[in-house]
Amino acid sequence: MVEISEDILYDCIIVGGGPAGLTAGLYCARAKLNTLLLEKGTIGGQIAITDLVENYPGFPEGISGKELSLRFKAQAERFGLKVVKAEAVKLEKEGKEIFIHLRNDQLIRAKTVIIASGSNPRRLGVPGESEFLNRGVSYCATCDGALFEGSPIAVIGGGDSATQEALFLTRFGSVVYLIHRRDTLRAQKHLQEKVFSNPKIRFIPDTVVEEIKGNHAVEKLILKNTKTGQMSELAVEGVFIFIGLEPNTGFLKGFVELDENGYVITDERMRTNVEGVFAAGDCRKGSTGQVAVAVGEGCIAAIEAEKYIEHNF
Ligand code: NAP
């Protein structure tokens, strides 16, 4: 088991174990930097809960997000990356050293930090959403889809996630309603084609969820048509919400520069405004939510961290 040491000045500490962080870890470890990767939840981040990744090169048949994450991790560990379960809650810099306060009150130090903390599912913010979490409301089809075998399911959203996960959920649901606030989907065209040709998916355009209702578990949605204002009810047992992501950067406020939506601002070399601190992947302003991009950014951040150490230590 990997131990965290408060005595070591690590060459690099990576915050987040998704594709960006694990790739940065692979490059740092392979460059013989003493590197620690902190992950507070599940290795793989958002892709760990993605059923099938079809557009990451090298896997012509697609690969499950979980399997891909474990492969990233195994490859990085082969070169000596140390992966630990820990949560960064605050960062500070004193002289050239960067200090990371952990949730368990440990304080660790590094010459460089790569922030790859990713993003979390955005909440709808309607009555019933929190109340029925894990009692019908979910943000993860891979985790919870099987609970709704033979039941009507609603998917909220119109992007790649909503369409891809709606397709996945047709394995379980008696019907999958795809509810979107506009009449055109934002998702990639090939996903749209699959959705519209799937007999189990019913697209409900121009519609927002006003409330999620039930007794012990979800029983129905109160819907509003955004064009006519007409209200309606829809009986469902599962509600899967995929309305985008929010960067997981709360712990960075006041330390590095963030944009108005909380994304970390970097230059094209993944450098933040704090020397020695880099950012990569979904938490970074301008990243695209693609595994291939996160991997590329993680690689750049690691190469830059290595250069920075060479010049400054
Ligand atoms: P997204 O692309 O930001 O789409 C969010 C969807 O939710 C949009 O359709 C948006 O509607 C809708 N929405 C946002 N706020 C809403 C609200 N308050 N109420 C109702 N609807 C709301 O998010 P995503 O689908 O999670 O994807 C995130 C990133 O990951 C994207 O970059 C995406 O390309 C990537 N991704 C890629 C793949 C793939 O390549 N196969 C798979 C999954 C995700 P509007 O359209 O009206 O704005």
Side-chain angles (χ1 to χ4, degrees), residues 16-53:
L22 289 168
T23 306
L26 165 66
Y27 273 77
C28 286
R30 200 159 174 271
K32 303 247 180 283
L33 302 183
N34 186 5
T35 307
L36 186 68
L37 183 147
L38 315 176
E39 170 56 57
K40 69 171 176 174
T42 316
I43 276 295
Q46 284 295 308
I47 60 154
I49 58 167
T50 302
D51 171 48
L52 188 65
V53 178

Side-chain angles (χ1 to χ4, degrees), residues 13 36 67 126 143 175 180 239 251 272-273 301:
I13 294 178
L36 186 68
E67 168 74 13
V126 298
C143 320
V175 53
H180 181 37
V239 189
F251 67 103
T272 71
N273 64 317

Side-chain angles (χ1 to χ4, degrees), residues 42-84:
T42 316
I43 276 295
Q46 284 295 308
I47 60 154
I49 58 167
T50 302
D51 171 48
L52 188 65
V53 178
E54 277 189 310
N55 49 8
Y56 189 69
F59 299 93
E61 313 305 329
I63 179 167
S64 94
K66 192 169 180 65
E67 168 74 13
L68 184 58
S69 319
L70 293 176
R71 286 182 183 223
F72 284 155
K73 178 171 177 268
Q75 191 173 358
E77 284 180 331
R78 197 182 124 215
F79 291 103
L81 177 69
K82 301 175 192 76
V83 178
V84 290

Side-chain angles (χ1 to χ4, degrees), residues 157-171:
D160 289 341
S161 300
T163 47
Q164 190 166 350
E165 302 308 321
L167 288 161
F168 172 71
L169 287 165
T170 58
R171 294 185 200 182

Side-chain angles (χ1 to χ4, degrees), residues 55 158-161 164 180-182 186 188 243-244 288-290:
N55 49 8
D160 289 341
S161 300
Q164 190 166 350
H180 181 37
R181 63 184 178 184
R182 293 185 295 122
R186 176 183 292 278
Q188 298 167 40
I243 57 163
T288 63
Q290 300 296 308

